[in-house]
Each structure stands twice: as C-alpha cells, then as structure tokens.
Amino acid sequence: APAIAQSNPKITWRLTSSFPKSLDTIYGGAEDIAKHVAAATDGNFTIQPFAAAEIVPGMQAADAVSNSTVEMCHTCSYYFVGKDPTFAIGTAIPFGLNARLSNAWFYQGNGNTLLNEFYAKHNIYGLPAGNTGAQMGGWFRKEINTVDDFKGVKMRIAGIAGRVLEKLGAVPQQIAGGDIYPALEKGTIDAAEWVGPYDDNKLGFAKVAKYYYYPAFWEGGPTIHAFINLEKWNSLPKAYQAALTDACAFANTNMMAKYDSKNPMAIKQIVSQGTTLRPFSQDILEACYNASLEVYKDISSKNADFKKIYEDQVSFKKEGYLWMQLSEYTFDTFMMIQQRNGKL
Amino acid sequence: MFEYGIMPPAMFLGMIIFMLYGFPVAFSLSAVGLFFGLLGIATGHFEFAFLQALPLRIFGIVSNDLLLAIPFFTFMGAVLERCGLAEDLLEGTGKLFGAIPGGLAYAVILVGAILGAITGTVAASVITMGVISLPIMLKYGYNPRLATGVIAASGTITQVIPPSLVLIVLADQLGRSVGDMYLGAIGPSILQVVIFLLFILALSIFRPKDVPPLPLEARGEMNAALVIKVLWGMIPSIVLIFLVLGTIFMGLATPTEAGALGVVGAMVLAALHRRLTWDLIRQGMHSTMTITSMVVFILVGATCFSLVFQGMDGGLWIEYLLSHVPGGAVGFLIFVNIFVFFLAFFLDFFEIAFIVLPMLAPVAHSLGIDLIWFGVLLCVNMQTSFMHPPFGFALFYLRSIAPKSVKTRDIYLGAIPWLGMQLILVAIIIFWPESVIYWLDKTPEVDLNTIKIEVPGFGSGSGNQMPNFGLPPMDGAPAQPGQPSQPAMPNFGEPPKINP
Amino acid sequence: MAALLKLSGLIDRLSEIIGKFSGYLVLFCTLISAGNAIIRYLFNYSSNGWLEIQWYLFGFIVLMGASYTLKLNEHVRVDLVYGAVSEKTRLWIDVLGLVFFLIPGCIYLAWLAWPFFTISYVQNEISSNAGGLIRWPVKLVIVAGFVLLALQGLSELVKRIAGLMGILQVDTTYEKPLQ
Ligand code: NA
Ligand code: NA
C-alpha cells in the first residue's frame, strides 16, 4: 500500500566515527547503531559507519555533521570544547557524573533537553550512544603522592582536565599520537592518560610506565554521543527517529557492558606485567576538585550556556549522590568485602 | 570485481591515466578525485555536501604533528649533504676496504647503513654517496650498473633503519607505537645489510672484474695512521647518531622532535667542519620548503581521491577483495605484497601509506596478523618503490648526479638485482616472522586466574568523607555505623598487594 | 598579452616573496621544536601553544609555499610521457593541466574552505588543549594557500600560452625533485 511505502522510505546515511577500528569497543558502538537501525526498519533505513579519517578526521566529526557533509557521527562531545566549552558537559567534566547518574540526567533529568538546545546552535541533534564507565587516571613514570608531586609533571591530557591539572603545576603536552608511547617510555613526558584497562593494555603502556593511577576524576562516566545533523533528524519519519533513538540507547548500554566485561581481565593482564596500581590520594582529589570549581566559575562567568547546563547538572548531582549512598554504595561495599574475602 | 559497481575500479584506472598524463601528481590526483566526485553526484552516490569534507581533511593533514618529521628530516639531510660528514666517512671506509675486491661496494653499503641510522630520508644518503663514490667506482673499473645499483639500494635502506619517516607514518596509520615499529625494524635492517654484503662477496668471487680492488695509489698504505684517520672521521657520525637517537633515549625529545634536534646537530657539525655558512642554511631551508610542500601536496591530492573513493564504497570494495583472497593470512600477505610491489611502480611510499594502507590494516587485523610485523613487512616492501623503474626516486637522484657516460638504461638495469634482494627479504619476513618479532618486548603468557589484586582502600583517614562508608575490615566483620573502618585499610600510598 | 605577462610577473614575484618567507619559517619551526624539547627537558616547562605553533608553521610552509614550488616546477610528475615528448607538447600538457586540473581544483577547494574558516572565526574557536592557540589563522591559511596557488596557476598558464605563441621562451626541462 502506498501509505506504507511513504512511511518506510529507503534512506541511506553515512556515519563518521571519531574512533579508529583499533578501539573496537568504542568503534563498535557505531556498528551497533547501524545494525539495530537496519533491523528495526527492515533494512529500509541503512547507516554506513566509517572509521575516523575515512571520511573526515576524528576531531572534525562535529563540523562534518553540522555542515551536512555526513548525516551523523559517533564522537565525544568534549572534542569540540574549542568551539564552546559547553560541549564538554555532553561527555564528561572533571568531577561530573558517573555512568549511572549520567544516564539518569540525560534520559530523565534535563540533560538531553538542555544539551540539545545548545547543540541546535551548531545544527546538531545529540543522543547518548555509549559510555566507558569511570576511566583510569593514566600511566605515570613516578609516584604522585602529594599535590606538590604534580608540579612539572609533563602529561598528555586533553581538554578541561588539562586546565585543571595545569592549576596544580602539571604541564599538559598534547604530543602527536604516535609519539606518546616512545615519549612515555623514555621520560620525554611523565604521564599519559588514555581510556581504561582494556584499551590501554592493547597499547602496551605497562611496559613503559610503572604506576597506573585511578580514577580519572575527569572522566567519571563519559558519554559517547551520536550527533545527527538537525535538518536530517527533523526530516526523518517518526518511526525512523524512534528506531535511531532506540539503537543509540542500545549502543549506550552495550558499550558500558562490553567495558565492564573486558576490563576485569585486562586489569589482571596489566598487573601481571608488574604495574603498580595507585589511587590518587584524597588530598590530590580535593585539590583537583577545588581547582575544577575555579575553572567552572571562570567559564560560567563568560558563557551563559555552560553556566545554565552546568548548574542543572550540579543540582542533579547533589540529589543523585545522596541516593547513591543509600543504594549502590552500601550494597556494592558489602559485595566488595565478600570479593576481597574470597567469598564470591 | 564489480561487487560495488564499476566506479571503484574505474577510479583506480582513472588515477593511473591521469598520473601518466604527466601533470604534477598532486594536482592530477585532486583532479581525478574531483572529476569522479562530479560523477558520484550525478550517479547519486553522494550529494554535493559530501565534498565539504575536503577542507576538514586538509586541516587534518596540516594538524597531523607527526608529519613535522618531513621538514625536520629533510632539513637535516640537506645540511648533512653539504657539510662533508658523509664524505669523510665514505672516503675513510673506502680506503680501509679498498684493497679487497668489492671493497668500495662494501664501504658504500656500510656507510649507507650508518647514514640510515642518522636520517630518515633517502635523498641525503643516495646523493651524498652518489656524488662521492660513483666517480671513484667508475674510475677504477666498477661495472656502472653495479656501481649505481649498490648506491641506490644502500641509500634506500635508510627507510628501514630507525629513525625512519616511513616507519613513523606506518605506525601512525596502523595505530601502533613508533617505538615498537623501530624495534621490529632492527632485525630486517641487519638482514638487509647482510644480504647486500653477501651479494658483493658472491660477485667478487664469480665476477671479480665487476668489482676490482683499488690500486695502491688510490687507497694509500694500510697502516695504523689510516685506521686512526678513519676512526677519527667516524666520530662526527656517531655524535649525530647519538643526537638523533640519543635524545629520544634520554627522554629529551619525542621521535618527531629528534629530527629538529638532528638539524641543530648537523649545523653544529657543519660549523665544526668550518662549512656552516648562511648560504648553506638558506639553501637547506629553501629546498626543505619546496620538498615539504611537494610531498604534503601529494597527500592533499590523495585526500581528494580517497574521499571520493570512500563515497563510492571503494573501501568496502577493497575490503571485499582482500577478504576473498584464498589462503588465509599467508595468502593475504603474499597477495598484499605483490599488490604493493606493483603499486610501487606507480605510487610513491607516501601515497601507498596514505591511500592503500588504511584499507589493508583492518583486514590484516581481522586475520589476526600482528600489525607491527605487518608494518615492518610493508616498509621493507616499499623500499622497492624507491628502486624500481620508471618512478623510483632513488634512481632519479642518481640520474641527476651521475655523469653522462652512465646511461639511464644502466641505472634502471643496475637496480634489478637489488630489487630482487629486497624482495628476498620480504619473503624471509613473511615466512620467518621471528626476524621481526624477536626484537619486540614480549609479554609472557600468564594464567590470569592466578593473578589476585588487592585494591588499596580509599576514603579512610582524615577529610570530610562520610564515616559510615569506608571499606570495612578485611576479615569481613561489618563496619560499625559511625565508625571509620580504618584498621584494615591500607594507606593510600601503599601499592596493591599482588599474589601471582 | 603584454599586460597578461606583466600580471604573470607580478604573481611570480608575490609567490616568490611568500615562498622565500616560508623557507625562513622552516628554520624558525625547527628551532622552536628543538628549543621546546630542550627547555621542557631542563626546566619542566612548556605549553601546548609551543607544540601547536609548530604545525601552524608547517601548515603555512606547505600551503603558502606550494605556489612558489609550482613556479619552480618542483611538484613531482610522472615523467614517463612528459619526459619523452617535444617541448611544444609539454607546453600543451601543462596548458590543459592548468586549465582543467589545477586552476578549477584550487578555486573549488578555496571556496569550500572559506566557510570552514569563517565559522571558526565567528565562533572564536580555540584549541581544545590547555594553553592552545586560536584556530582561525591556520584555517585562513588553507583558503589563502589555494587562492595563491590558483593565481600562480594563472601565471604559469599565461607563460605557457606565450611560449606556444613564440613570444616567450619557457623552460620546461623537468627534473624529479629531491625527497
Ligand atoms: Na581518558
Ligand atoms: Na633511517
């Protein structure tokens, strides 16, 4: 019947990922989206994923969506903080939300609505489409016991987190990707952060830096986004919009699931190579926390969008972390004791 | 062949035709890309807006800081070429080996390897060695084909010996560390030098007339003074090797920055030789500018081509072709190497690395091939792109400096045995992966079930943490409300206990 | 034709000035890179700005230097055919190549890059790295580079046509550039 034909038009989109295929877990999110959309629409709406640089370089993905070079991309919002710091909140800001609360804020709080009001200014519609969970704080050649130990530490760390550590005296050096490993090996830089055990292990950082610090307080539960060209999104039939929304939600959950199932083995592999695990001390975290608040105050005074969305997230965070203490934290703590006592 | 339509293969054909036309490669590549871009819009492969990716891609090229190695290494080569360092090395080594048949050829090979450990670009090696030793070799009766062949080939190994621009680019494209690539390339570099030396040895036995020893008056008496002079002449090279590799090893510079320090080092050496003039620097930076611009503009042209190629599903097509090569991983490797070898007739290593490698890497990865090994293998294979007629750069450098008496035909034919030896090395690496892998750090296999991690506690001690929520004691007794569970908590600074 | 040749001379002069300037930037860029490494090593001090300026300069060298490289005929060619044909045929190869390959391509790329630059300018885009630089200048260089290259293409075209008309002696000898 013609009515059906009209509501199920053949549509083909390109998706440019900001990630290489070697980051299989994150890149896999784009493949999840494509598969689920095709299945949900009987193959009428197809999305062809491309790895970073196949169409545009990873860091240019938002530009490509914004000017409709491609219909959508799979990326981290915070790659684009240079355009507007507000982009950072979409992924993660230092001492932001964990993965659970991130999803709560996006799906049930104002997160998605507020960010999409902002993204619309860049001709983008955004949907959460992946999460890595709390990341690791990175690889250090020397111990970081006190706040002062950060002074002069040359670290490869990007974005707002770099600004925060700079306040503590660290030296952010965003050297070329291919140079990270040899530079860390020989001490040209003292530290580098990447993702978490599964991805870090593939690059073999355990061979070149002794200390593996945690957590990445700048990435407590970073969300990976699907950015869709706003007009293309609006022109989609409602059924396809729903299919795409669901597919992104699935990719969001599935990526987190992959990381949570792969990281435990990976961390064992890393430790078996002689790596020393270290938490950042509470003093360090507090100093960083205070430095972050200064940074947020500074940005908020200059950027109304940032201020509005940041404040909404903070008020959500206040309530969220009250509830987390009563629920997961207590339960998890008990279970962790059982784990440590070998009773699981 | 036509699983993804006629366009992807047509684009390859179009590229060859456009390039053969003889207009500069960079602009021919962009033209063939844009021409097929218009076709792609007409055939509905994509919309006009798709081509807006081009400035983003060009920006990506410019902002790729690894490419800074191009001007740095080129500049260093330009200074080296003019500062007399290679000259001293070659003269000394030539005299040292001069008395035996094939001595000059051995000297060229060894000096090529030493220069290779200093710089990452082929031009400096080939030209310096060509200028200095080709006339001597010809004068004392070396077969011109052999003389040009050994110079071109020995100049070309610099790209396998770390530091190497090719290895840097390959590491970037494969998502592996440059450090591992360098380690993996050590074995093949040594093998290649040994194969070359053995070839000269064989020649000196079976065709001694091609490689006569130097007469006494040309080499001087072999005595302690000569040996000391040769060793003295080697010091600057060792200093420079240290400057480039050493700054990486001592943690002063990244591999990219080491190139810049190498330039400074080369200038200092030139100054010590009293050959550092403003004119030398000016010429060096001028030629570096044109070469950098020329090479990177090939990438700009290639990016136009490969964007449209992706838009025409060319990536899928290549992946389909490669994943249907029979014979599993070995079949794939053999096919890829033949494929790259033939592409190297038309394309330079940069074009291969940037156009072809991104298509090969995912397939290799999915076949379980170690990407470091794969990268080193391709690097060795791509040596041939410098060597084979008619587009081999090394041959052009030689042509530009060789005397008229040496025919272009001689240069082309002289390259063939050396091409063969480069391919022998390719075969060795394919069937003996240990030649690469041996040099890599290996992670011992561990039974992960035996690894126990005791996570250090967090949140005890002073501060505003909530007293009820510290991790309770290890014996499993429940934490008492209102009481921090300090006793069993390891201190922050303490490393986790690991029971392997 | 005389007026066109005069224009061509002016363009050549412009490219030459910018090209020579780019040459100095090679030296400058090298010294910055080496200096940054040494200072970082000795004093644990650096900034992402010092890293980014290096590829900003690299971008300038590549894009703004390309037209002078074209004037010097140092963009690499596959000279299988080009090296074997007559002087006149070479001029024709260049004329057609300039008209159909180079000039339209460069104008098109400059046109595509223009909004890429203006958006960055309007957004006041900066680097996403701490201590990084403002972005639009390097994007402007993309536009400027292709405009200059199209102009140089025009100049080469004028010279080749004058060569075909016998007004001007054009040297088409071509040697593979060094690499
Ligand atoms: Na991270
Ligand atoms: Na080398």
Side-chain angles (χ1 to χ4, degrees):
Chain A
I4 292 171
Q6 212 164 21
S7 61
N8 290 312
K10 283 266 181 204
I11 294 183
T12 309
W13 277 12
R14 289 185 179 85
L15 176 158
T16 182
S17 170
S18 283
F19 312 102
K21 285 180 180 161
S22 53
L23 280 173
D24 55 338
T25 318
I26 304 190
Y27 179 76
E31 294 177 318
D32 277 345
I33 295 171
K35 259 184 240 156
H36 278 246
V37 164
T41 60
D42 277 335
N44 285 319
F45 180 15
T46 53
I47 295 172
Q48 188 183 353
F50 290 85
E54 284 184 347
I55 296 183
V56 294
M59 301 298 279
Q60 313 293 321
D63 291 89
V65 170
S66 176
N67 72 8
S68 74
T69 300
V70 288
E71 289 81 3
M72 67 182 292
C73 70
H74 192 232
T75 190
C76 289
S77 178
Y78 66 11
Y79 288 161
F80 312 102
V81 287
K83 297 177 180 299
D84 190 318
T86 314
F87 274 103
I89 310 178
T91 310
I93 54 174
F95 304 100
L97 302 170
N98 68 11
R100 270 275 299 269
L101 290 176
S102 239
N103 284 335
W105 183 59
F106 271 114
Y107 291 129
Q108 293 301 321
N110 301 322
N112 217 19
T113 316
L114 289 177
L115 275 166
N116 272 320
E117 280 171 20
F118 165 73
Y119 290 147
K121 296 181 184 177
H122 294 266
N123 203 26
I124 285 170
Y125 179 75
L127 286 168
N131 202 307
T132 65
Q135 297 193 357
M136 292 295 278
W139 298 87
F140 288 72
R141 289 169 55 87
K142 60 170 202 167
E143 288 180 81
I144 304 291
N145 293 320
T146 65
V147 177
D148 269 354
D149 288 344
F150 260 117
K151 285 217 163 49
V153 165
K154 294 157 278 187
M155 180 165 186
R156 192 182 194 269
I157 182 168
I160 291 184
R163 275 181 73 177
V164 170
L165 289 181
E166 207 173 26
K167 278 185 181 284
L168 270 66
V171 182
Q173 281 280 277
Q174 198 67 5
I175 57 169
D179 279 348
I180 304 175
Y181 183 94
L184 188 60
E185 176 175 28
K186 307 302 180 196
T188 315
I189 54 173
D190 305 300
E193 68 99 29
W194 186 234
V195 186
Y198 178 65
D199 296 313
D200 293 16
N201 188 39
K202 278 187 286 190
L203 294 184
F205 286 127
K207 282 180 240 157
V208 295
K210 181 157 194 269
Y211 301 98
Y212 197 18
Y213 273 86
Y214 59 89
F217 54 81
W218 51 92
E219 285 161 324
T223 296
I224 283 92
H225 262 87
F227 278 173
I228 303 152
N229 179 281
L230 194 55
E231 286 115 38
K232 298 283 179 186
W233 169 257
N234 288 332
S235 69
L236 273 188
K238 287 279 175 285
Y240 288 7
Q241 284 186 349
L244 184 52
T245 306
D246 292 353
C248 289
F250 172 76
N252 188 17
T253 313
N254 199 32
M255 189 188 296
M256 188 70 257
K258 279 186 196 165
Y259 272 115
D260 280 338
S261 66
K262 287 171 192 269
N263 278 331
M265 282 301 124
I267 193 71
K268 280 189 171 183
Q269 246 150 14
I270 286 169
V271 165
S272 77
Q273 295 169 59
T275 298
T276 302
L277 295 173
R278 287 287 168 87
F280 287 124
S281 76
Q282 183 145 350
D283 285 346
I284 288 175
L285 289 181
E286 262 165 30
C288 292
Y289 186 75
N290 294 333
S292 304
L293 294 184
E294 278 174 41
V295 171
Y296 299 145
K297 208 169 144 190
D298 177 44
I299 301 175
S300 294
S301 70
K302 293 174 194 154
N303 189 310
D305 287 328
F306 184 92
K307 184 168 190 285
K308 180 176 161 195
I309 303 177
Y310 171 71
E311 282 173 357
D312 183 82
Q313 193 189 60
V314 168
S315 64
F316 191 89
K317 185 158 60 178
K318 272 183 198 151
E319 307 307 324
Y321 273 104
L322 171 63
W323 167 237
M324 286 272 127
Q325 291 164 48
L326 300 169
S327 54
E328 250 71 3
Y329 187 77
T330 322
F331 177 74
D332 284 349
T333 306
F334 178 81
M335 295 307 287
M336 287 170 193
I337 297 162
Q338 307 315 308
Q339 195 277 343
R340 297 175 81 149
N341 290 338
K343 288 185 176 174
L344 288 186
Chain B
M1 196 65 191
F2 298 111
E3 289 76 14
Y4 289 89
I6 193 170
M7 281 303 188
M11 279 195 77
F12 262 115
L13 193 67
M15 174 171 70
I16 292 168
I17 294 170
F18 272 57
M19 296 222 304
L20 281 177
Y21 173 67
F23 199 63
V25 169
F27 310 115
S28 303
L29 272 172
S30 62
V32 72
L34 295 175
F35 172 73
F36 276 91
L38 291 178
L39 282 184
I41 293 165
T43 54
H45 276 91
F46 40 76
E47 287 166 39
F48 211 60
F50 183 69
L51 297 178
Q52 289 168 359
L54 289 172
L56 308 188
R57 291 171 74 99
I58 293 167
F59 180 78
I61 294 172
V62 169
S63 60
N64 182 350
D65 9 19
L66 274 185
L67 296 182
L68 277 167
I70 300 173
F72 294 162
F73 279 120
T74 311
F75 199 5
M76 176 167 45
V79 176
L80 271 183
E81 194 189 317
R82 296 170 168 89
C83 81
L85 175 135
E87 215 172 309
D88 291 357
L89 249 186
L90 207 59
E91 248 182 54
T93 330
K95 284 177 179 166
L96 213 55
F97 288 92
I100 51 174
L104 278 179
Y106 293 128
V108 165
I109 294 169
L110 292 176
V111 171
I114 294 174
L115 288 180
I118 299 174
T119 115
T121 49
V122 172
S125 291
V126 174
I127 289 174
T128 36
M129 296 201 299
V131 167
I132 302 155
S133 53
L134 189 57
I136 308 176
M137 290 172 118
L138 295 176
K139 185 173 166 196
Y140 294 106
Y142 269 66
N143 180 332
R145 286 183 192 169
L146 178 84
T148 52
V150 71
I151 291 170
S154 307
T156 307
I157 11 179
T158 183
Q159 66 136 329
V160 185
I161 301 175
S164 148
L165 201 54
V166 183
L167 288 171
I168 291 176
V169 170
L170 287 173
D172 182 47
Q173 292 290 308
L174 291 167
R176 287 297 182 272
S177 89
V178 180
D180 275 350
M181 282 298 230
Y182 280 5
L183 286 176
I186 293 174
S189 314
I190 296 172
L191 278 174
Q192 186 76 90
V193 171
V194 170
I195 292 172
F196 286 177
L197 292 175
L198 286 178
F199 177 71
I200 297 296
L201 181 67
L203 268 188
S204 65
I205 294 169
F206 297 110
R207 296 180 65 174
K209 266 191 235 148
D210 282 359
V211 286
L214 282 185
L216 189 62
E217 72 270 16
R219 62 184 146 89
E221 193 68 51
M222 180 70 163
N223 55 25
L226 177 66
V227 173
I228 288 170
K229 194 176 163 242
V230 170
L231 292 179
W232 187 246
M234 288 182 85
I235 289 175
S237 328
I238 292 166
V239 168
L240 204 54
I241 293 176
F242 174 80
L243 248 173
V244 177
L245 288 179
T247 50
I248 301 175
F249 280 103
M250 67 191 268
L252 198 154
T254 64
T256 312
E257 292 164 343
L261 283 158
V263 174
V264 176
M267 285 185 189
V268 171
L269 280 179
L272 292 177
H273 277 239
R274 304 190 184 285
R275 291 190 206 176
L276 185 70
T277 58
W278 177 240
D279 203 43
L280 184 152
I281 296 178
R282 218 172 37 77
Q283 282 176 21
M285 66 199 194
H286 172 80
S287 67
T288 303
M289 187 283 284
T290 54
I291 290 164
T292 305
S293 184
M294 180 273 284
V295 171
V296 178
F297 248 82
I298 296 175
L299 300 186
V300 170
T303 212
C304 298
F305 178 88
S306 45
L307 172 72
V308 172
F309 190 67
Q310 288 288 357
M312 303 268 200
D313 292 334
L316 296 175
W317 176 63
I318 295 273
E319 213 174 305
Y320 174 88
L321 287 186
L322 290 174
S323 54
H324 285 73
V325 175
V330 173
F332 167 79
L333 286 170
I334 292 173
F335 175 82
V336 161
N337 276 288
I338 293 173
F339 181 58
V340 168
F341 178 73
F342 279 103
L343 275 183
F345 276 101
F346 306 101
L347 303 181
D348 191 35
F349 84 84
F350 257 105
E351 295 142 346
I352 297 173
F354 285 93
I355 304 174
V356 183
L357 194 59
M359 300 167 189
L360 302 179
V363 186
H365 188 68
S366 67
L367 285 170
I369 293 168
D370 182 290
L371 289 186
I372 298 283
W373 176 59
F374 186 62
V376 173
L377 178 64
L378 287 183
C379 176
V380 171
N381 191 333
M382 278 190 239
Q383 280 188 104
T384 61
S385 76
F386 285 92
M387 283 292 289
H388 55 43
F391 306 135
F393 271 103
L395 306 182
F396 286 111
Y397 307 147
L398 261 185
R399 177 67 280 173
S400 67
I401 49 128
K404 282 248 161 24
S405 64
V406 178
K407 296 196 179 65
T408 305
R409 200 182 135 77
D410 289 332
I411 296 179
Y412 283 178
L413 290 175
I416 289 169
W418 303 90
L419 265 174
M421 282 180 270
Q422 289 170 337
L423 289 180
I424 288 172
L425 184 60
V426 170
I428 291 177
I429 296 173
I430 292 181
F431 293 103
W432 187 38
E434 270 296 298
S435 59
V436 173
I437 314 260
Y438 174 82
W439 302 86
L440 302 178
D441 285 342
K442 272 161 293 245
T443 315
E445 282 293 320
V446 194
D447 178 6
L448 293 183
N449 291 321
T450 63
I451 304 282
K452 289 206 172 61
I453 300 176
E454 275 181 29
V455 184
F458 178 80
S460 60
S462 63
N464 299 325
Q465 99 279 11
M466 278 155 294
N468 289 340
F469 288 93
L471 274 174
M474 286 294 296
D475 57 12
Q480 296 304 304
Q483 210 177 8
S485 49
Q486 274 172 358
M489 297 297 297
N491 292 327
F492 287 150
E494 191 180 301
K497 295 186 188 66
I498 292 140
N499 310 322
Chain C
M1 201 67 215
L4 283 173
L5 279 170
K6 192 159 185 198
L7 175 70
S8 155
L10 282 174
I11 295 172
D12 284 1
R13 188 87 195 100
L14 179 68
S15 289
E16 186 173 342
I17 291 168
I18 295 175
K20 295 229 161 113
F21 179 67
S22 305
Y24 284 93
L25 293 187
V26 170
L27 180 65
F28 190 50
C29 179
T30 311
L31 294 179
I32 287 179
S33 183
N36 180 53
I38 291 169
I39 290 169
R40 189 183 54 212
Y41 182 73
L42 294 179
F43 307 110
N44 287 328
Y45 168 78
S46 182
S47 153
N48 281 317
W50 288 109
L51 292 177
E52 291 180 4
I53 190 71
Q54 293 174 32
W55 64 258
Y56 276 43
L57 292 173
F58 172 75
F60 193 98
I61 293 162
V62 167
L63 292 157
M64 301 301 281
S67 47
Y68 185 47
T69 310
L70 179 68
K71 177 184 176 292
L72 297 176
N73 197 11
E74 290 203 3
H75 281 286
V76 63
R77 301 170 186 256
V78 173
D79 60 353
L80 205 63
V81 176
Y82 193 80
V85 296
S86 72
E87 182 90 347
K88 195 170 170 201
T89 314
R90 274 188 234 166
L91 288 175
W92 271 111
I93 286 178
D94 279 354
V95 165
L96 296 178
L98 289 164
V99 170
F100 291 106
F101 292 5
L102 189 140
I103 296 174
C106 289
I107 292 174
Y108 181 60
L109 288 172
W111 181 72
L112 281 182
W114 177 252
F116 183 56
F117 154 69
T118 51
I119 288 169
S120 178
Y121 183 79
V122 170
Q123 285 174 343
N124 214 5
E125 187 186 3
I126 53 168
S127 157
S128 59
N129 302 316
L133 305 176
I134 189 127
R135 274 287 180 267
W136 63 258
V138 71
K139 295 187 174 179
L140 178 61
V141 162
I142 298 180
V143 180
F146 283 112
V147 169
L148 190 62
L149 196 50
L151 280 176
Q152 188 60 44
L154 187 69
S155 163
E156 297 301 319
L157 181 64
V158 169
K159 285 185 272 181
R160 300 287 186 289
I161 290 173
L164 283 172
M165 290 163 68
I167 303 174
L168 191 75
Q169 191 61 38
V170 182
D171 182 16
T172 59
T173 46
Y174 166 74
E175 280 192 5
K176 279 255 179 179
L178 308 181
Q179 183 193 344

